[in-house]
């Protein structure tokens, strides 16, 4: 539950994959997960399939802000390392896959997803929205589409 997620935050800095699918997070769990995700600059894949994440204020927006903050920190860290002439893992440690399938996101949640996809720090290659009340594609900032998929390759 939420208390476990809060305790896990101290150990999350090297986390590359997170799958909390089929756990009812609701709004309160989303807030706890968001707090943990802010420190996860090495995340590459996050699966939140069937977690009862609401698209309104208490759910997805807090997760989206945390994911974007984490991506921006990784991007800034990578840029600093490049300027200093050091190689750095942050470039490879960018969130590439996000599965939000089978959550009641509806229109409000889809608007949040579109904001994330359009953000400069977003490098998603695989966005899954199957069964969320989502349209078949969410346009990205570059004009390409991130298609949703129902097949699991995680």
């Amino acid at each position: 539950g939420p208390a476990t997620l809060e305790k896990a935050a101290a150990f999350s800095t090297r986390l590359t994959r997170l799958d909390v699918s089929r756990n009812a997070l609701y709004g309160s769990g989303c807030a706890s997960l968001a707090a943990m995700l802010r420190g996860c600059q090495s995340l590459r894949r996050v699966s939140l399939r069937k977690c009862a994440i609401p698209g309104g204020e208490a759910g997805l927006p807090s997760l989206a802000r945390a994911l974007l903050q984490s991506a921006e920190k990784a991007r800034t860290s990578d840029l600093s390392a490049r300027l200093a002439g050091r190689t750095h893992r942050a470039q490879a440690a960018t969130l590439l896959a996000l599965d939000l399938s089978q959550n009641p996101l509806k229109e409000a949640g889809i608007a949040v997803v579109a904001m994330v996809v359009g953000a400069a720090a977003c490098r998603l290659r695989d966005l899954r929205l199957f069964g969320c009340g989502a349209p078949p594609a969410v346009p990205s900032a570059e004009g390409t589409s991130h298609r949703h998929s129902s097949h699991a390759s995680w």
Side-chain angles (χ1 to χ4, degrees):
T4 303
L5 289 172
E6 288 174 12
K7 290 177 186 174
F11 304 102
S12 66
T13 58
R14 294 184 185 224
L15 190 65
T16 59
R17 288 182 179 204
L18 177 65
D19 187 344
V20 292
S21 297
R22 294 182 177 90
N23 285 284
L25 295 177
Y26 304 109
S28 61
C30 288
S32 297
L33 181 58
M36 185 188 96
L37 291 175
R38 282 187 189 92
C40 295
Q41 295 177 34
S42 58
L43 268 179
R44 293 179 61 96
R45 296 182 176 276
V46 176
S47 182
L48 300 168
R49 177 186 288 261
K50 224 174 190 181
C51 288
I53 297 172
E57 275 186 44
L60 190 59
S62 62
L63 290 173
R65 281 188 299 274
L67 289 170
L68 286 174
Q69 287 171 353
S70 179
E72 188 58 40
K73 283 180 190 175
R75 193 173 138 208
T76 302
S77 178
D78 182 56
L79 180 60
S80 297
R82 285 180 185 198
L83 290 173
R86 298 184 316 262
T87 58
H88 195 263
R89 297 186 331 182
Q91 178 66 21
T94 298
L95 184 63
L96 300 175
L98 178 61
D99 187 353
L100 293 167
S101 299
Q102 299 177 332
N103 284 291
L105 302 181
K106 306 208 182 334
E107 273 189 52
I110 298 308
V112 171
V113 170
M115 178 211 52
V116 169
V117 170
C122 182
R123 300 290 185 257
L124 280 177
R125 292 184 187 161
D126 185 8
L127 174 61
R128 298 174 188 210
L129 298 170
F130 177 73
C132 293
V138 177
S140 73
E142 293 83 30
T144 60
S145 294
H146 296 273
R147 301 248 175 239
H148 66 76
S149 169
S150 61
H151 104 320
S153 62
W154 295 58

